[in-house]
Amino acid sequence: MSDSDTLILVNLKAYPCDPVEIAEACATVADDTGARVAVAPQAAHLSAVADTGVETWAQHVSPVEHGSHTGSTLAEAVADAGATGTLINHSENRLKLADIDASLAAAGRAGLETVVCANNPAQSGAAAALGPDAVAVEPPELIGGDVSVATADPAIVEDSVAAVEAVDADVDLFCGAGVSTGEDVTAAGELGATGVLLASGVAKADDPEAVLRDLVSGL
Ligand SMILES: O=C(CO)COP(=O)(O)O
């Protein structure tokens, strides 16, 4: 990947890390290198992360509007907290098709950039048909592992790029699972991805900033 618009999106999931420390490391590396690095913390940490100045994403928004929806993650609320984008349909928070559509509508109302996650090329094409800004293909069996999707299953990335392109050429294709090094980022770009999602490589690192600097070196 050589495009500075390429997104490195660090999903903190529910890992026991310090979201502000990682956000500050991401902001520092982004400022130093011009790379686009974003952090998706727990919803309760969005404001604290956004206050660091880093690009901040929600991990999920619910398929709801303002109203009687106890326990929901309202798109307008995450935008108020400083998020500028959101994941939808992550492998660990799968939604029904109609709910993906409604979450996209909610994100659109709130002005959030959107990435819909998918398991495989067929789902990637289907997700593209719903009109997100990007689709992220993440094979569930590789999530949290040591081998990057681009190495373990390059065809799933290439086939997802093609599936998305066939449906809507304006939708970007990202990939994720096992991404932790600059080499992984380079390999993803060579397969046609214009962004990577990663979690454990940064969230579990002893030195998140060092990992981020290595990741960015692969752009
Ligand atoms: O699910 C992921 C990002 O959303 C990928 O997680 P890992 O980077 O831990 O494989």
Side-chain angles (χ1 to χ4, degrees), residues 9-13 15 87 90-92 117 136 138-140 142-147 175-180 196-204:
L9 178 51
V10 180
N11 174 7
L12 300 184
K13 304 193 175 184
Y15 282 126
L87 298 175
H90 190 276
S91 178
E92 294 148 9
C117 300
E138 297 196 291
L142 298 177
I143 289 178
D146 294 332
V147 183
C175 65
V179 174
S180 64
V196 291
L197 268 59
L198 74 152
S200 50
V202 169
K204 292 183 171 179

Side-chain angles (χ1 to χ4, degrees), residues 110-183:
L112 299 170
E113 194 171 333
T114 52
V115 173
V116 173
C117 300
N119 284 6
N120 56 40
Q123 289 182 19
S124 295
L130 297 174
D133 293 299
V135 172
V137 65
E138 297 196 291
E141 67 278 13
L142 298 177
I143 289 178
D146 294 332
V147 183
S148 110
V149 58
T151 304
D153 196 350
I156 207 170
V157 181
E158 289 175 315
D159 292 350
S160 291
V161 169
V164 167
E165 168 90 23
V167 172
D168 185 343
D170 290 336
V171 176
D172 289 325
L173 188 284
F174 301 166
C175 65
V179 174
S180 64
T181 68
E183 280 180 20

Side-chain angles (χ1 to χ4, degrees), residues 1-10 26 29-30 33-39 55 57 113 115 134 172-176 179 181-182 184-198 212 215-219:
M1 296 185 198
S2 56
D3 187 345
S4 65
D5 288 340
T6 294
L7 178 62
I8 294 179
L9 178 51
V10 180
C26 290
V29 171
T33 63
R36 187 178 175 206
V37 184
V39 180
E55 182 175 333
W57 281 54
E113 194 171 333
V115 173
D172 289 325
L173 188 284
F174 301 166
C175 65
V179 174
T181 68
D184 297 338
V185 172
T186 301
E190 287 171 355
L191 296 170
T194 55
V196 291
L197 268 59
L198 74 152
L212 287 158
L215 287 161
V216 165
S217 74
L219 290 170

Side-chain angles (χ1 to χ4, degrees), residues 73-84:
T73 303
L74 184 67
E76 285 82 351
V78 307
D80 285 348
T84 57

